[in-house]
Amino acid sequence: LQEWCQKRHQLVPRYRTLRETGPDHQKCFQVEVSVGDEALGIGQGTSKKEAEQEAARLALERIEQ
């Protein structure tokens, strides 16, 4: 996703944590990825990194359609 964004828009994707739920030992994160002003995907995971990767994967799927 980062390579695509840099080639097409000369920008890097921006990740924003939308929600963090659950107890400390079992957190669930929801992260949104956007390029410029356009939100491209929202991912969930048990870590911020996992949620960011899911959001990026969904964004790439959306871009390829």
Side-chain angles (χ1 to χ4, degrees):
L1 178 63
Q2 186 164 341
E3 290 174 8
W4 180 88
C5 290
Q6 287 176 332
K7 284 181 184 178
R8 294 266 201 286
H9 302 286
Q10 289 75 47
L11 297 171
V12 293
R14 187 179 74 236
Y15 296 91
R16 179 171 64 107
T17 303
L18 299 176
R19 190 178 320 161
E20 191 176 314
T21 58
D24 286 342
H25 66 279
Q26 199 175 14
K27 288 279 188 191
C28 182
F29 297 90
Q30 185 177 48
V31 174
E32 175 185 72
V33 63
S34 59
V35 177
D37 294 333
E38 184 177 2
L40 296 177
I42 295 175
Q44 294 186 21
T46 56
S47 69
K48 285 184 182 180
K49 182 177 181 176
E50 186 179 295
E52 289 173 353
Q53 289 174 336
E54 175 72 4
R57 185 185 66 74
L58 293 170
L60 281 173
E61 283 181 7
R62 180 177 171 190
I63 289 166
E64 291 173 352
Q65 291 180 355

